[in-house]
């Protein structure tokens, strides 16, 4: 847990705790969730924390990584600790939209069409190798991600609550991959990378396998019930935001739209997602007020994947992350909140 030093409560923060009592403080439950997921994904505490923050904020996560580093394990473990239903979609080049959303089939007994739900109808859905399927099938996920429903045969059907999507994509230069449409990339709250384990953690993984002590992620016991998780999602939206932090965040987002290195900047949806992710980060630490560092800690995973670097600047080594870092460093923080920093 992060310690905040030299802090005095802002007057606006009084009375922002939500009503109702928990049997345990939510931050302790969330810490236990992180610990349980960490028992199957060794040494990836930072990634686990960011995934939890994104889902707590009601967002979706795009994992861009090489195969075999634990992306499926992470999704299964998360579904288990909230007691939710997990479904996996292995996306391929010949997959059709109905293979994701479901569709109607003729039932000879009843003499009518019946709707057969697709794998998107679950609390936690893993869309594996999203960029191996054509854009038409990728677009089948757009409505589900934003509207929390799917439309088939002219009828809209609500998805389960909560609904969270983890999509994985292979590096862009892998054979047989399609680029993700910008509209879809923008609907992911965060883009993260798990990365290879350290030598120490890979030895620990092999030792657990050799001794038959490895943990099946789907066998993890729930830490919270689905309704408790939904309550956490509602409560984290009430985390207080100092009014002066909002212009600071908007200034950074606006600058991405004007930066000479960038072809495309961040959208208003990005601003919304950034604020929600920062609120969730504060909530996970047991605070009901936002610190500037909550915004700074979530800036890159929320904003960088929405930025497109012009080829001339990309050739010189510029990336979305480095451009964003320059913008943040050059944007002055309001004096009224600059002292509310972690030591």
């Amino acid at each position: 847990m992060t310690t905040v030093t030299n802090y005095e409560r802002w007057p606006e923060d009084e009375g922002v705790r939500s009503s109702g009592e928990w049997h345990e403080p939510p931050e302790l439950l969330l810490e236990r969730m992180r610990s349980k997921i960490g028992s199957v994904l060794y040494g990836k505490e930072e990634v686990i924390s960011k995934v939890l923050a994104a889902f707590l904020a009601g967002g979706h996560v795009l994992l861009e990584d090489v195969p075999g580093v634990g992306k499926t394990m992470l999704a299964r473990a998360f579904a288990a600790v909230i007691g939710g239903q997990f479904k996996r979609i292995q996306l391929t080049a010949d997959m059709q939209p109905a293979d994701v959303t479901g569709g109607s089939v003729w039932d000879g007994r009843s003499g009518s069409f019946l709707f057969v739900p697709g794998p998107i109808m679950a609390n936690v859905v893993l869309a594996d190798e999203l960029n191996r399927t054509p854009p038409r099938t990728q677009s089948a996920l757009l409505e589900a991600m934003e509207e929390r429903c799917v439309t088939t045969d002219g009828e809209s059907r609500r998805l389960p609550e909560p609904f969270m999507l983890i999509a994985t994509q292979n590096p862009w230069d892998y054979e047989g991959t399609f680029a993700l449409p910008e509209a879809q990339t923008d609907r992911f709250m965060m883009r993260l990378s798990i990365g290879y384990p350290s030598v120490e953690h890979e030895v620990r993984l092999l030792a657990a396998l050799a001794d038959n002590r490895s943990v099946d992620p789907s066998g993890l016991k729930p830490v919270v019930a689905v309704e408790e998780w939904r309550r956490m999602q509602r409560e984290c939206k009430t985390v207080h935001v100092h009014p002066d932090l909002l212009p600071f965040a908007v200034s950074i987002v606006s600058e991405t739209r004007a930066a000479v290195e960038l072809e495309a900047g961040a959208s208003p949806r990005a601003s919304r997602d950034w604020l929600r992710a920062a609120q969730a980060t504060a909530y996970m630490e047991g605070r009901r007020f936002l610190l500037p560092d909550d915004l700074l800690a979530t800036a890159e995973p929320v904003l960088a994947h929405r930025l497109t670097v012009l080829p001339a600047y990309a050739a010189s080594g510029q990336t979305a992350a480095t451009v964003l870092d320059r913008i943040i460093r050059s944007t002055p923080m309001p004096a009224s909140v600059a002292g509310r920093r972690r030591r």
Side-chain angles (χ1 to χ4, degrees):
M1 303 293 287
T2 302
T3 302
V4 179
T5 56
N6 298 331
Y7 172 74
E8 296 178 359
R9 178 173 287 277
W10 294 335
E12 301 94 324
D13 295 336
E14 298 294 341
V16 297
R17 283 190 177 273
S18 57
S19 59
E21 295 297 328
W22 289 87
H23 63 282
E24 283 186 71
E27 58 269 24
L28 294 184
L29 295 172
L30 288 162
E31 180 61 35
R32 202 181 320 155
M33 292 171 71
R34 280 186 285 203
S35 178
K36 283 206 170 192
I37 298 173
S39 70
V40 298
L41 193 65
Y42 301 144
K44 300 299 178 181
E45 290 79 10
E46 184 177 354
V47 173
I48 292 170
S49 294
K50 283 186 166 57
V51 169
L52 277 173
F55 287 163
L56 194 61
H60 310 291
V61 172
L62 178 64
L63 294 177
E64 184 177 61
D65 228 322
V66 296
V69 293
K71 299 184 289 291
T72 302
M73 191 177 295
L74 174 62
R76 285 187 179 277
F78 181 80
V81 296
I82 68 165
Q85 184 184 23
F86 172 81
K87 290 286 182 68
R88 180 177 183 273
I89 309 171
Q90 180 58 59
L91 293 158
T92 59
D94 59 350
M95 181 167 280
Q96 298 298 312
D99 297 326
V100 173
T101 61
S104 297
V105 297
W106 179 257
D107 180 18
R109 292 185 178 181
S110 64
S112 61
F113 284 98
L114 296 179
F115 176 72
V116 178
I120 198 70
M121 296 285 186
N123 298 118
V124 181
V125 177
L126 175 67
D128 206 8
E129 297 188 301
L130 181 60
N131 59 341
R132 284 203 183 276
T133 198
R136 181 167 177 262
T137 305
Q138 291 175 9
S139 65
L141 295 170
L142 292 178
E143 183 183 20
M145 294 172 69
E146 188 68 17
E147 306 298 333
R148 300 304 203 269
C149 68
V150 293
T151 301
T152 57
D153 302 323
E155 182 178 349
S156 292
R157 294 176 171 85
R158 299 292 302 174
L159 296 176
E161 288 287 345
F163 170 73
M164 292 152 282
L165 179 76
I166 295 183
T168 71
Q169 71 169 354
N170 296 312
W172 65 269
D173 54 349
Y174 270 40
E175 185 178 354
T177 60
F178 297 84
L180 295 183
E182 289 82 355
Q184 184 163 33
T185 304
D186 194 44
R187 281 172 168 80
F188 286 102
M189 178 172 281
M190 291 188 188
R191 182 183 64 185
L192 302 169
S193 175
I194 295 177
Y196 290 117
S198 66
V199 172
E200 174 191 352
H201 289 111
E202 193 161 2
V203 169
R204 181 182 168 193
L205 170 66
L206 294 181
L209 289 169
D211 296 340
N212 200 27
R213 292 184 288 103
S214 57
V215 179
D216 179 7
S218 59
L220 294 174
K221 293 185 178 179
V223 175
V224 296
V226 168
E227 182 49 48
E228 288 178 307
W229 177 254
R230 291 172 63 184
R231 180 182 170 189
M232 286 181 180
Q233 289 183 310
R234 292 192 297 269
E235 284 189 355
C236 90
K237 293 180 180 179
T238 68
V239 168
H240 176 72
V241 183
H242 193 284
D244 290 346
L245 281 174
L246 299 177
F248 172 69
V250 171
S251 295
I252 291 172
V253 172
S254 297
E255 186 59 32
T256 67
R257 301 165 190 164
V260 295
E261 305 97 324
L262 299 179
E263 180 180 351
S267 68
R269 183 188 285 119
S271 303
R272 180 201 67 186
D273 286 354
W274 190 16
L275 178 63
R276 291 300 189 207
Q279 287 178 302
T281 300
Y283 184 84
M284 288 174 65
E285 294 187 355
R287 286 182 282 106
R288 301 301 181 265
F289 55 89
L290 205 66
L291 291 176
D293 287 308
D294 298 319
L295 284 170
L296 299 178
T298 51
E300 183 179 334
V302 173
L303 300 178
H305 66 285
R306 307 168 195 258
L307 309 179
T308 304
V309 181
L310 289 167
Y313 290 95
S316 65
Q318 293 277 4
T319 65
T322 59
V323 175
L324 180 62
D325 183 65
R326 175 190 66 75
I327 292 172
I328 291 174
R329 290 178 182 275
S330 63
T331 303
M333 187 174 293
S336 57
V337 296
R340 316 296 186 178
R341 301 290 302 276
R342 299 185 183 101
R343 174 173 294 173

